[in-house]
């Protein structure tokens, strides 16, 4: 008996590991996880704050863009009276520094005196809207208000992160819900559609960064996209097969959460069901009609989709389906032996027409079996036109958006896995640019260059457009590639080898440009 | 019910000792058992009643429930700590969670033979109740069974052969075009006794359910829709043969079934052509030899085949897999003074053939040593055992210790603590399933469990209260794996604690009532901040099962209520299923005793509650069944 007891006791190993587990790329800190690469309050580790005029990049504090390091401090030589125009160049007592010169007073109309500095509080990130009002990392100061240019949704970690479209500096990862899938903005409020929680969360931003608001709305199963028009939000619930319409000022279905600033009362006014196995995925609004892609189910249930539903929403409380555009008759230019179906994934309004992205996948294996295509629909006549992208250089297209008068389309490609099911390559992946006449203008490939050394494989997904700049999210890793668009085509700002690490280790589900 | 409806704690302890020691000559025997028990010879070494003598065991006696239109899973709803997950419909998948452990961490045995490949959950709808005499449920870590029983162990005990000729059968017809038949005979055959049972089930399963097409609109109306492609068809047989050769009893079992069913899919996105066809068979041979010097040797050899074919366009054609196992287990128990020593050796192998041709296989080897010591003339027994198993690449150690104490005033106390584990399944380790990736680096899950049970047993009533706590570690969970897959990882830990109450009262001969209640507290102890300290999904905090039966055989009435509180459906506690109460009413009459003819009528879900266990899979509405049973006994009592 004694021997048995001793043997048994010995087999109980040490205490069970318990506690918060932080996803790859974040570290435990207090009761939560911090982003040591980007959080200037915890830069490189828990509690390691950056100093004034510094930001956190790759875990190290450095001088913000527009500042200069002088004796270990980051200063704005344009306006710092102790370093006016250069390190150590101090203005005499009573003088101010304006535009790198010592003056007796601020003379430029857009500046105001903050101490001995002349500052444009309309645009200065360290004095935004008033002296000493500093913006958070990654924010710009626009019209005296701190704001991010772009917000990214990190699905796998349940976080949002803001960034600057110009400097590409980033804010702090901020928990909003559990699995943000789609982003939109209503007024000053960011809407985050959550795939795991089945909620439409809200986030606000201030000079401290992003924060989840105390209001949310219940949505249907497997929500995939939210779009906003004025004070109305349209949520596409893929699993539930519905288009859900919510309006500000309506209480139905509004949830109050603990903590956070009060948000919008965004309640459900109606819901329209498209039928079983339709799997609506995306929507765009033209006039009073919302066009919704019906993707269809797996196998034989694919036939329930392959259409674009037209929903009249002039009375949001009573949406009415007024027709469907059948895509099944399109020539999908199947590859040899392929049998894809015309599944419309995302949809966008561009130059007055509606463009639906066709993945061209096999209905059961989900493998690309034809080139990525677009279906162009005339909103008034529903006339259907097929638009080619880039042949086999664009497989499994995902997302489309206007860039000026041009149309950009991302292509996830055909992934190849190794024996451990890691993606080792993706052919036909990148971004395609069509000109105003829907003709191919340029293709950017996300394939790793042959001489790149270690280079993580990218599978492009959703993207956003800021001016003439495309910020393209990666579904395979949490990075963003940045491309500039011009009449000449696409030029890399940050390519696949130096992409902006944004979401901790996992995919960027969506990107939103803030107004 | 306390212990089985017919077993008390005292009985459990007694039987365990008797079984383990083959009736001791050299120690003071315990007080005689005051309620009927299965004969000691019928308790195989695999029975938790004998193998886990200080752990709470519930026993459901099915011999008096032959006319109830239920499968094995439905009978298990009365067990404390049990949560059945039902996708809806007769013959459709039902799995069992015990004490908060996932269904794949509950070991299900058929007369001691594991019914699933390692680490997988058992679909209990595949076991017809007609083939069973009783169900023994060990609540808590099944350490002495090797890997697989972190939440508990269910031993399905098949009908045994009779000494005299016995012919029996039931026919049931009911809602959703459901027909169930079983017929069997048992009696002397050659030098031993044999039993043959044939059973069949057919159900169209096309019940109407209320469907809300626009659920996000408050107060939106629902419509009635039929549940299509929900049919089930099955047929099978059970054969047993028992033969006493000197001091050795031989027992052979052959059991198998063919099953087909539609896989309806979730209501919003049904799968009209998805089908599942399974073929299952188990063979076992057992011997039990009692030696004059007080030792008992039990040998068990078994083989099992389980073929599954999934077809339909959602499966890209046809998916076939074949799981098979063989095993041999030897158990020896020996009395040595006040010690009851036991040792177990087992070996075997598991194979899986599947379309991607990874075809995993591994060998198994297990060894257990245990001791049980009696003190104070047997009023206190202390036991301890340690088991080591090698299953493929894994080595797991499963110690457990416990004690049982007889107290004054008909009270008894049992305590136990142990460690159990679950090895990852072949599918989790090696097989790509659609968008679910395997992960060959997974480790076994582990559970540390402790419980204490206080029981009061009187002639007319019995009540037992159990407190328990389990720490689960290295739980395997599928996580998103970019760009569009999911992959299992070991990372979670959870605390599951609670209380179980069983009570039974039998004040007069014509009235019998039983109740079980479970309070279950679960908490995620290791996860990212979104899930940390949240409850585990699909674990209701409160569950109550009550049963009242009144009358005499000529006119009997029965009412059963199963209540469970609201439960979360996801790890972030944002989605939940509401509380529900399902009521079953039944009446029966047995106008003749020889032959025994029984006519029973039963209504399930009397209140016509619209509910579900799995998101998008409605449970059937109110349903009625008429059952005719007969039994002819060549040697009536």
């Amino acid at each position: 008996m004694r021997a048995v007891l001793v043997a048994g006791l010995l087999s109980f190993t040490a205490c069970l590991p318990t506690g918060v587990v932080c996803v790859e790329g974040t570290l435990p800190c207090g009761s939560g996880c911090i982003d040591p690469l980007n959080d200037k309050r915890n830069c490189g580790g828990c509690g390691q704050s950056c100093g004034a005029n510094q930001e956190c990049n790759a875990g190290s504090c450095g001088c913000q863009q527009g500042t200069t390091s002088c004796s270990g401090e980051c200063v704005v030589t344009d306006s710092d009276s102790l370093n006016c125009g250069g390190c150590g160049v101090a203005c005499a007592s009573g003088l101010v520094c304006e535009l790198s010169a010592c003056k007796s007073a601020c003379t430029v109309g857009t500046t105001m005196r903050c101490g001995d500095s002349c500052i444009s509080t309309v645009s200065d990130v360290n004095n935004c809207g008033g002296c000493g009002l500093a913006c958070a990392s990654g924010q710009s100061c626009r019209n005296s208000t701190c704001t991010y240019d772009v917000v990214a949704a990190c699905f796998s970690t349940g976080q949002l992160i803001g960034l600057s479209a110009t400097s590409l500096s980033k804010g702090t990862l901020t928990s909003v819900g559990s699995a943000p899938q789609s982003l939109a903005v209503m007024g000053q409020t960011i809407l985050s559609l959550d795939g795991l929680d089945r909620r439409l969360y809200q986030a606000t931003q201030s000079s401290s960064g992003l924060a989840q608001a105390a209001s949310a709305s219940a949505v249907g199963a497997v929500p995939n996209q939210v779009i906003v028009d004025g004070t109305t939000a349209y949520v596409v619930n893929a699993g539930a097969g519905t288009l859900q319409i919510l309006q500000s000022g309506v209480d139905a279905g509004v949830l109050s959460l603990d903590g956070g600033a009060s948000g919008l009362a965004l309640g459900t006014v109606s819901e329209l069901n498209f039928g079983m196995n339709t799997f609506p995925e995306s929507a765009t609004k033209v006039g009073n009609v919302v066009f919704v892609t019906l993707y269809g189910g797996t196998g034989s249930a694919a036939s329930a989709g392959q259409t674009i539903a037209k929903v009249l929403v002039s009375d949001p409380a009573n949406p009415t389906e007024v027709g469907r555009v059948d895509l099944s008759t399109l020539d999908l230019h199947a590859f040899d032996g392929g049998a894809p179906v015309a599944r419309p994934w995302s949809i966008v309004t561009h130059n007055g027409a509606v463009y639906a992205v066709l993945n061209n996948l096999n209905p059961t294996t989900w493998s690309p079996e034809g080139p990525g295509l677009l279906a162009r629909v005339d909103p008034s006549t529903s006339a259907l036109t097929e638009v080619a992208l880039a042949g086999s250089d664009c497989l499994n297209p995902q997302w489309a958006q206007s860039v000026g008068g041009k149309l950009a389309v991302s292509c996830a490609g055909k992934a190849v896995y190794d024996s451990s099911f890691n993606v080792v390559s993706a052919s036909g992946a990148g971004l395609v640019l069509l000109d105003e006449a829907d003709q191919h203008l340029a293709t950017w490939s996300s394939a790793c260059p042959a001489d790149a050394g270690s280079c993580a494989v990218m599978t492009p997904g959703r993207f956003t457009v800021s001016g003439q700049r495309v910020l393209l999210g990666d579904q395979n890793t949490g990075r963003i590639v940045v491309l500039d668009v011009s009449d000449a085509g696409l030029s890399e700002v940050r390519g696949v080898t130096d992409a902006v690490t944004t979401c901790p280790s996992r995919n960027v589900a969506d990107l939103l440009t803030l107004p | 019910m306390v212990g089985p409806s017919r077993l008390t704690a005292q009985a459990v302890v007694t039987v365990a000792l008797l079984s383990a020691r083959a009736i001791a000559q050299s120690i003071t025997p315990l007080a005689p058992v005051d309620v009927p028990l299965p004969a000691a010879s019928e308790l195989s070494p695999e029975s938790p009643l004998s193998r886990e003598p200080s752990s709470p065991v519930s026993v459901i006696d099915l011999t008096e429930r032959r006319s109830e239109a239920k499968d094995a899973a439905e009978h298990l709803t009365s067990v404390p700590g049990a949560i059945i997950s039902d996708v809806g419909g007769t013959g459709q998948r039902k799995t069992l969670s015990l004490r908060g452990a996932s269904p794949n961490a509950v070991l299900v045995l058929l007369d001691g033979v594991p019914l699933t490949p390692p680490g997988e959950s058992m679909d209990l709808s595949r076991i017809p109740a007609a083939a069973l005499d009783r169900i023994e449920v060990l609540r808590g870590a099944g350490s002495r069974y090797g890997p697989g029983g972190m939440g508990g162990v269910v031993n399905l005990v098949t009908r045994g052969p009779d000494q005299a000729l016995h012919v029996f059968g039931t026919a049931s017809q009911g809602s959703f075009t459901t027909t169930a038949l079983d017929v069997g005979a048992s009696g002397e055959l050659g030098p031993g006794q044999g039993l043959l049972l044939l059973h069949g089930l057919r159900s169209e399963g096309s019940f109407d359910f209320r469907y809300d097409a626009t659920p996000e609109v408050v107060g939106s109306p629902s419509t009635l829709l039929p549940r299509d492609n929900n049919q089930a068809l099955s047929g099978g047989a059970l054969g047993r043969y028992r033969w006493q050769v000197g001091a050795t009893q031989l027992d052979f079992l052959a059991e198998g079934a063919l099953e087909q069913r539609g896989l309806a899919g979730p209501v919003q996105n049904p799968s009209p052509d998805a089908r599942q066809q399974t073929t299952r068979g188990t063979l076992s041979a057992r011997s039990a030899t009692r030696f004059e010097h007080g030792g008992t040797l039990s040998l068990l050899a078994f083989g099992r085949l389980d073929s599954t074919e999934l077809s339909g366009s959602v499966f890209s054609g046809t998916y076939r897999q074949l799981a098979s196992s063989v095993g041999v287990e030897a158990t020896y128990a020996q009395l040595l003074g006040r010690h009851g020593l036991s040792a177990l050796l087992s070996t075997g192998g598991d194979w899986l053939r599947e379309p991607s041709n990874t075809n995993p296989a591994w060998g198994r080897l297990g060894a257990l040593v245990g001791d049980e010591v009696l003190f104070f003339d047997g009023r206190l027994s202390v036991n301890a055992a340690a088991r080591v198993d090698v299953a493929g690449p894994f080595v797991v150690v499963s110690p457990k210790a416990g004690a049982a104490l007889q107290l004054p005033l008909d009270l008894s106390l049992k305590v136990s603590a142990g460690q159990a584990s679950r090895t990852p399944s072949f599918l989790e380790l090696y097989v790509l399933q659609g968008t679910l990736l395997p992960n060959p680096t997974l480790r076994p899950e582990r559970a540390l469990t402790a419980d204490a049970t206080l029981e009061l047993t009187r002639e007319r009533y019995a009540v037992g209260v159990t407190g328990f706590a389990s720490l689960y570690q290295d739980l395997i969970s599928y996580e998103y794996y970019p760009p569009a897959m999911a992959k299992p990882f070991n990372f979670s830990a959870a605390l599951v604690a609670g209380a179980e109450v069983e009570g039974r009262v039998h004040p007069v001969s014509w009235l019998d009532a039983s109740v079980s209640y479970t309070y279950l507290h679960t908490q995620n102890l290791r996860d990212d901040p979104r899930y940390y300290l949240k409850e585990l999904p699909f674990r209701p905090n409160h569950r109550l099962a009550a049963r009242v039966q009144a009358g005499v055989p000529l006119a009997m009435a029965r009412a059963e209520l199963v209540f469970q509180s609201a439960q979360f459906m996801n790890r972030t506690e944002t989605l939940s299923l509401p509380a529900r109460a399902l009521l079953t009413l039944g009446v029966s009459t047995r106008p003749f005793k020889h032959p025994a003819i029984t006519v029973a009528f039963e209504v399930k879900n009397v209140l016509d509650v619209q509910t579900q266990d799995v998101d998008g899979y409605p449970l059937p509405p109110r349903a009625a069944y008429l059952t005719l049973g007969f039994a002819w006994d060549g040697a009536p009592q």
Side-chain angles (χ1 to χ4, degrees):
Chain A
M1 165 68 85
R2 194 171 300 147
V4 172
L5 275 175
V6 169
L9 289 172
L10 286 176
S11 74
F12 284 91
T13 53
C15 295
L16 297 174
T18 59
V20 168
V21 177
C22 295
V23 297
E24 195 176 337
T26 65
L27 294 174
C29 184
S31 60
C33 302
I34 53 99
D35 171 12
L37 298 182
N38 299 299
D39 186 351
K40 72 180 199 179
R41 294 166 299 183
N42 300 283
C43 190
C46 184
Q48 298 177 18
S49 282
C50 295
N53 294 332
Q54 287 189 321
E55 62 185 10
C56 183
N57 270 318
S60 298
C61 295
C63 291
Q64 288 176 356
Q65 194 175 42
T67 66
T68 303
S69 179
C70 293
S71 304
E73 292 188 355
C74 299
V75 300
V76 183
T77 54
D78 265 6
S79 56
D80 187 338
S81 62
L82 299 177
N83 301 280
C84 190
C87 291
V89 182
C91 296
S93 176
L95 297 184
V96 296
C97 180
E98 183 181 54
L99 299 177
S100 303
C102 295
K103 298 178 181 176
S104 57
C106 296
T107 58
V108 179
T110 57
T111 65
M112 66 180 288
R113 181 168 179 165
C114 293
D116 290 336
S117 299
C118 294
I119 302 290
S120 171
T121 57
V122 176
S123 58
D124 189 312
V125 293
N126 292 312
N127 301 277
C128 187
C131 296
L133 301 177
C135 295
S137 291
Q139 286 184 325
S140 305
C141 180
R142 279 189 262 153
N143 298 322
S144 304
T145 302
C146 296
T147 183
Y148 295 108
D149 297 330
V150 169
V151 176
C154 302
F155 179 87
S156 302
T157 58
Q159 293 165 316
L160 303 186
I161 184 170
L163 64 160
S164 164
T166 51
S167 70
L168 302 177
S169 62
K170 293 167 290 184
T172 302
L173 286 164
T174 304
S175 294
V176 176
S178 301
Q181 171 70 19
S182 174
L183 300 173
V185 62
M186 180 178 284
Q188 300 299 312
T189 303
I190 297 163
L191 304 181
S192 176
L193 188 62
D194 200 280
L196 185 61
D197 291 353
R198 291 193 201 171
R199 285 178 176 175
L200 184 60
Y201 286 107
Q202 300 174 19
T204 57
Q205 67 164 329
S206 65
S207 56
S208 301
L210 296 169
Q212 181 171 322
S215 294
S217 312
V219 300
V222 197
N224 193 51
Q225 193 187 10
V226 55
I227 62 171
V228 166
D229 182 24
T231 58
T232 303
Y234 301 87
V235 172
V236 182
N237 297 312
T242 64
L243 175 68
Q244 182 179 349
I245 302 179
L246 305 97
Q247 286 194 312
S248 179
V250 175
D251 291 330
V254 175
L255 307 165
S256 293
L257 311 176
D258 294 333
S262 61
L264 302 170
L266 193 58
T268 298
V269 294
S270 64
E271 190 175 17
L272 180 71
N273 192 301
F274 297 105
M276 294 179 175
N277 281 315
T278 50
F279 288 95
E281 300 289 356
S282 181
T284 189
K285 187 167 182 281
V286 181
N288 284 325
V289 176
V290 174
F291 291 77
V292 182
T293 57
L294 303 184
Y295 198 70
T298 303
S300 62
S303 59
Q306 303 182 57
T307 55
I308 299 171
K310 298 166 63 179
V311 181
L312 184 64
V313 294
S314 49
D315 178 5
N318 292 291
T320 308
E321 190 174 336
V322 292
R324 292 189 182 185
V325 180
D326 182 10
L327 307 177
S328 64
T329 57
L330 289 173
D331 179 1
L332 300 178
H333 306 283
F335 298 145
D336 286 347
V341 293
R343 292 183 183 279
W345 181 240
S346 60
I347 195 166
V348 67
T349 304
H350 168 66
N351 291 344
V354 168
Y355 290 74
V357 167
L358 305 179
N359 298 143
N360 238 348
L361 308 180
N362 181 283
T364 50
T365 65
W366 305 96
S367 177
E369 293 190 346
L373 298 170
L374 298 177
R376 181 185 185 279
V377 179
D378 185 313
S380 55
T381 65
S382 296
L384 183 63
T385 312
E386 187 176 296
V387 178
L389 289 171
S392 58
D393 289 339
C394 175
L395 301 176
N396 193 9
Q398 299 285 298
W399 206 247
Q401 274 204 52
S402 286
V403 190
K406 305 176 182 62
L407 184 64
V409 181
S410 64
C411 312
K414 181 176 183 177
V416 176
Y417 297 87
D418 65 11
S419 59
S420 299
F421 300 97
N422 298 305
V423 179
V424 293
S425 67
S427 59
L431 190 83
V432 173
L433 191 66
L434 303 182
D435 65 15
E436 290 79 351
D438 293 342
Q439 297 300 305
H440 179 263
L441 183 63
T443 298
W444 173 81
S445 170
S446 62
C448 291
D451 57 351
S454 75
C455 168
V457 177
M458 182 177 189
T459 56
R462 298 185 186 187
F463 61 89
T464 193
V465 175
S466 180
Q468 292 293 304
R469 177 162 285 188
V470 171
L471 291 94
L472 173 60
D474 181 7
Q475 300 178 79
N476 190 39
T477 68
R479 303 171 302 162
I480 293 174
V481 159
V482 183
L483 305 168
D484 278 346
V485 175
S486 67
D487 288 340
L490 296 162
S491 58
E492 256 183 29
V493 179
R494 297 286 288 270
V496 69
T497 55
D498 61 347
V500 182
T501 300
T502 305
C503 294
S505 79
R506 303 290 173 86
N507 74 328
V508 180
D510 199 9
L511 290 151
L512 170 71
T513 297
L514 296 174
Chain B
M1 71 201 65
V2 170
S5 34
R6 308 205 282 177
L7 288 179
T8 65
Q10 184 182 31
V12 170
V13 173
T14 307
V15 169
L17 291 169
L18 292 179
S19 172
R21 302 170 181 202
I23 308 175
Q25 301 291 322
S26 58
I27 61 171
T28 305
L30 296 179
V33 174
D34 57 359
V35 289
L37 286 170
S41 61
E42 291 184 6
L43 278 180
S44 66
E46 295 80 33
S47 169
L49 293 166
S50 56
R51 191 172 288 190
E52 301 275 4
S54 54
S55 293
V57 178
S58 296
V59 179
I60 304 164
D61 181 359
L62 300 182
T63 57
E64 294 299 318
R65 300 185 180 187
R66 297 286 183 216
S67 62
E68 296 177 15
K70 292 177 178 171
D71 58 26
E74 291 173 291
H75 285 294
L76 284 164
T77 57
S78 62
V79 174
I83 302 168
I84 301 292
S85 178
D86 181 358
V87 301
T90 304
Q92 294 294 333
R93 181 175 176 82
K94 296 184 179 76
T95 55
L96 169 71
S97 162
L98 277 175
R99 284 195 175 170
S102 296
N104 58 14
V106 175
L107 192 61
V108 179
L109 312 173
L110 184 74
D111 286 341
V113 178
L115 278 175
T116 58
E120 292 192 20
S121 59
M122 178 62 196
D123 176 3
L124 288 160
S125 74
R126 301 173 68 188
I127 306 297
L132 307 177
D133 261 353
R134 66 178 185 278
I135 304 174
E136 303 164 342
V137 183
L138 168 70
R139 290 142 38 203
S143 309
R144 296 170 188 179
Y145 289 85
M150 291 204 309
V153 177
V154 176
N155 189 35
L156 305 167
V157 181
T158 59
R159 287 173 98 133
D162 296 281
Q163 298 275 354
L165 180 61
H166 182 56
V167 181
F168 53 88
T170 56
S172 180
Q173 179 74 38
S175 299
F176 326 127
T177 322
T178 299
T179 304
L181 291 169
D182 66 83
V183 60
S186 165
E188 292 286 345
L189 184 64
Q193 302 90 43
L195 174 141
L196 178 65
L197 169 77
L198 303 174
H199 58 85
L201 168 74
R202 176 180 175 273
S203 177
E204 284 299 313
S206 183
F207 58 82
D208 288 342
F209 64 98
R210 295 188 198 97
Y211 173 63
D212 183 354
T214 55
E216 302 313 316
V217 177
V218 178
S220 59
S222 59
T223 55
L224 280 179
L225 287 182
R227 191 75 169 126
D228 293 329
N229 193 31
N230 202 41
Q231 64 275 29
L233 178 66
S234 67
L238 166 70
R240 284 191 64 178
Y241 189 75
R242 184 181 292 159
W243 183 16
Q244 188 76 32
V245 183
T248 300
Q249 180 174 285
L250 301 173
D251 202 331
F252 302 93
L253 175 144
E255 192 270 344
L258 301 171
E259 297 137 349
Q260 288 185 353
R261 63 187 173 200
L263 302 174
V267 294
Q268 175 58 37
N269 302 298
S271 46
D273 61 354
R275 307 277 305 163
Q276 181 181 25
Q277 180 170 316
T278 55
T279 307
R280 173 174 56 82
T282 304
L283 288 172
S284 74
R286 169 194 312 281
S287 74
T289 305
R290 295 178 177 177
F291 301 104
E292 288 184 356
H293 57 268
T296 304
L297 175 65
S298 299
L299 300 172
L300 170 68
F302 67 88
R304 181 180 55 75
L305 285 173
D306 196 341
S307 161
T308 301
E309 179 180 303
L310 301 171
S311 60
S313 56
V314 295
F315 299 112
S316 309
T318 301
Y319 174 94
R320 293 186 184 87
Q321 75 172 37
L322 175 65
S324 53
S325 292
V326 296
V328 178
E329 185 171 286
T331 309
Y332 184 75
Q334 173 70 56
L335 289 170
L336 210 61
R338 62 173 59 231
H339 292 263
L341 301 172
S342 58
L344 176 149
L345 277 175
S346 71
T347 186
D350 301 287
W351 296 264
L352 179 71
R353 295 189 65 83
E354 49 81 39
S356 63
N357 284 320
T358 56
N359 297 337
W362 67 31
R364 279 182 281 106
L365 188 64
L368 174 147
V369 291
D371 189 11
E372 183 175 18
V373 190
L374 295 189
F375 301 95
F376 311 119
D377 292 336
R379 301 191 71 80
L380 171 65
S381 72
V382 178
N383 65 81
R387 177 169 176 146
V388 179
D389 286 89
V390 180
F394 305 110
V395 179
V396 296
V397 181
S398 310
K400 191 169 182 180
L405 176 64
Q406 293 294 316
L407 298 168
L409 304 175
D410 300 321
L411 289 165
S412 63
L413 177 67
K414 291 188 290 187
V415 295
S416 70
Q419 174 175 290
S421 60
R422 180 185 79 92
T423 55
S425 70
F426 282 153
L427 298 178
E428 291 168 325
L429 285 166
Y430 306 119
V431 181
L432 174 65
Q433 309 163 76
T435 58
L436 300 180
L437 297 172
N439 183 354
T441 67
L442 290 174
R443 302 181 301 277
E445 298 178 335
R446 188 171 70 131
L448 300 176
T449 296
D451 54 31
T453 302
L454 183 65
E455 292 183 338
L456 170 66
T457 306
R458 295 275 168 81
E459 183 179 358
R460 297 286 180 193
Y461 63 90
V463 63
V465 179
T466 300
F468 66 90
S470 297
L471 278 170
Y472 295 105
Q473 183 196 9
D474 275 342
L475 292 175
I476 294 169
S477 178
Y478 279 88
E479 294 294 307
Y480 173 77
Y481 194 76
M485 312 284 263
K487 189 173 180 178
F489 295 94
N490 288 97
F491 65 89
S492 292
L495 167 69
V496 178
E500 300 162 345
V501 180
E502 289 184 287
R504 177 169 180 170
V505 59
H506 185 58
V508 290
S509 62
W510 53 269
L511 180 63
D512 189 89
S514 60
V515 65
S516 73
Y517 166 76
T518 307
Y519 170 70
L520 191 68
H521 167 78
T522 64
Q523 195 167 45
N524 188 334
L525 293 183
R526 188 164 188 265
D527 220 321
D528 84 34
R530 292 170 290 176
Y531 317 122
Y532 181 55
L533 299 181
K534 300 275 177 61
E535 288 189 30
L536 302 184
F538 297 108
R539 270 73 167 179
N541 294 142
H542 305 277
R543 197 165 186 287
L544 176 76
R547 176 186 171 106
V548 178
Q549 184 167 299
V552 294
L554 186 62
M556 187 78 76
R558 169 173 55 90
E560 293 175 52
L561 178 71
V562 177
F563 165 83
Q564 64 185 34
S565 60
Q567 55 184 313
F568 291 114
M569 292 197 295
N570 62 0
R571 289 194 289 163
T572 57
E573 300 183 350
T574 61
L575 300 172
S576 62
L577 286 172
R580 71 174 191 224
L582 299 178
L583 177 65
T584 298
L585 296 177
V587 292
S588 66
T589 179
R590 196 170 72 192
F592 309 107
K593 284 186 68 176
H594 190 69
I597 304 292
T598 306
V599 180
F601 181 70
E602 181 170 347
V603 182
K604 297 182 184 179
N605 193 4
V606 173
L607 304 176
D608 203 22
V609 175
Q610 169 89 27
T611 187
Q612 58 187 357
D613 286 336
V614 181
D615 192 20
Y617 289 78
L619 296 181
R622 182 187 300 123
Y625 299 88
L626 181 66
T627 302
L628 173 66
F630 78 95
W632 184 84
D633 196 335
Q637 298 296 311

